[in-house]
């Protein structure tokens, strides 16, 4: 029977690189392929091996995995949304909490599991502060039903603009630039953000795609400076209270 729901995969942090992206003899699909058209959730990101995390770089860029063997090769699709969560340090309290007992070297090694090139492939990277009692009780902020409606409307806008089945994530650099039509203020903000955040070319384009999606969620035909600013903020890794 065909599945009616998109896949959600959440492998344990002890998984090997082959288990994550595929491998073996005969070649078998990994978690990235099992999450195709769905979500791959990596909890406790800092506990995954560096080898396993680095193996994600190709799949995130190419949206496919090729496993080559002596007599043949197999290509598996893997277009997925990567969602990850990590503590600020091994003990979980954070070096700035005043309660962290982790040696500085342990904190550096823990954070180094996520390399710069892999982090560059993530559209949103933010630190989350301690939630308030009201937030824990679920009595503040926007409800999930309202968020769902906005997401559905945004995806409908993207389908009308790009074609059925396509989203902003699949925009080529040429398509991205042809659909933005940024005004002077927005272009200046892009330039300033590119320099202040030291974005790579990949990071620059990902920030623009994110801004396009933020505009769609706001039901805006144009990408304005406020959308650019929010997209850059979501890549800044600054705590949000």
């Amino acid at each position: 029977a065909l599945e009616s729901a998109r896949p959600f995969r959440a492998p344990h942090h002890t998984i090997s690189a082959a288990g994550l992206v595929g491998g073996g003899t005969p070649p078998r699909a990994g978690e990235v392929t099992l999450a195709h058209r769905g979500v791959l959730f990596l909890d406790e990101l800092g506990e995954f091996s560096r080898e396993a995390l680095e193996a994600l770089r190709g799949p995130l860029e190419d949206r496919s995995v090729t496993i080559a063997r002596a007599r043949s090769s197999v290509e598996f699709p893997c277009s997925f949304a990567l969602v990850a969560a990590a503590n600020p340090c091994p003990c979980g309290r954070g070096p700035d909490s005043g309660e962290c007992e982790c040696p500085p070297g342990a904190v550096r090694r823990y954070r180094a599991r996520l390399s710069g090139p892999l982090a560059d492939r993530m559209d949103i990277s933010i630190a989350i502060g301690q939630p308030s009692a009201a937030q824990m009780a679920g009595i503040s902020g926007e409800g999930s039903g309202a968020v769902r409606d906005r997401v559905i409307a945004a995806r409908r806008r993207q389908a009308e603009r790009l074609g059925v089945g396509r989203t902003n994530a699949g925009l080529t650099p040429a398509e991205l630039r042809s659909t933005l039509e940024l005004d002077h203020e927005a272009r200046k903000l892009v330039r300033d953000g590119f320099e202040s955040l030291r974005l790579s070319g990949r990071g620059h384009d990902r920030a623009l795609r994110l801004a396009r999606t933020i505009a769609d969620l706001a039901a805006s035909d144009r990408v304005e400076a406020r959308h650019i600013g929010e997209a850059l903020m979501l890549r800044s890794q600054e705590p949000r209270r």
Side-chain angles (χ1 to χ4, degrees):
L2 292 175
E3 292 288 343
S4 60
R6 292 179 182 271
F8 179 90
R9 304 291 299 186
H12 193 262
H13 59 75
T14 56
I15 192 171
S16 66
L20 195 58
V21 302
T25 304
R28 299 182 61 181
E31 289 291 329
V32 296
T33 296
L34 298 177
H36 183 56
R37 300 296 186 186
V39 172
L40 178 66
F41 177 54
L42 304 183
D43 196 13
E44 300 290 353
L45 187 70
E47 301 294 341
F48 283 78
S49 72
R50 178 71 179 262
E51 179 187 11
L53 293 178
E54 287 300 289
L56 290 172
R57 289 165 57 174
L60 283 170
E61 195 74 20
D62 302 331
R63 301 297 178 180
S64 65
V65 174
T66 301
I67 302 173
R69 293 295 180 261
R71 297 182 179 180
S72 64
S73 64
V74 178
E75 182 174 335
F76 294 110
C78 62
S79 181
F80 60 94
L82 175 63
V83 180
N87 288 315
C89 65
C91 80
R93 298 182 180 90
D96 300 328
S97 67
E99 301 177 356
C100 179
E101 299 177 354
C102 301
V107 176
R108 286 194 298 271
R109 288 191 296 273
Y110 183 81
R111 294 183 174 180
R113 297 286 179 88
L114 178 62
S115 68
L118 179 56
D120 198 35
R121 288 166 167 80
M122 296 182 177
D123 293 338
I124 298 174
S125 180
I126 57 174
I128 304 298
Q130 183 69 26
S132 66
Q135 289 171 326
M136 291 297 293
I139 59 176
S140 65
E142 189 176 17
S144 59
V147 174
R148 181 178 184 274
D149 290 342
R150 286 198 296 119
V151 170
I152 291 174
R155 289 183 69 90
R156 187 179 298 117
R157 295 175 70 87
Q158 292 175 37
E160 291 172 353
R161 185 171 61 246
L162 305 173
V164 177
R166 296 198 65 195
T167 62
N168 294 333
L171 285 172
T172 66
E175 289 175 327
L176 180 64
R177 284 159 178 75
S178 68
T179 61
L180 287 182
E181 299 181 3
L182 301 179
D183 59 22
H184 175 73
E185 183 182 1
R187 290 183 183 278
K188 182 179 185 302
L189 193 56
V190 170
R191 290 195 299 270
D192 293 345
F194 181 82
E195 294 176 357
S196 63
L197 295 178
R198 298 181 180 178
L199 296 177
S200 65
R202 180 187 295 110
H204 172 273
D205 286 352
R206 284 184 174 273
L208 291 181
R209 289 191 189 95
L210 180 57
R212 176 64 268 180
T213 299
I214 291 170
D216 286 333
L217 288 168
S220 174
D221 292 329
R222 294 180 60 86
V223 176
E224 302 171 1
R226 59 192 175 101
H227 305 133
I228 297 291
E230 184 173 352
L232 294 173
M233 183 274 293
L234 289 172
R235 293 186 64 90
S236 68
Q237 302 187 43
E238 291 295 329
R240 301 183 71 191
R241 302 291 180 179

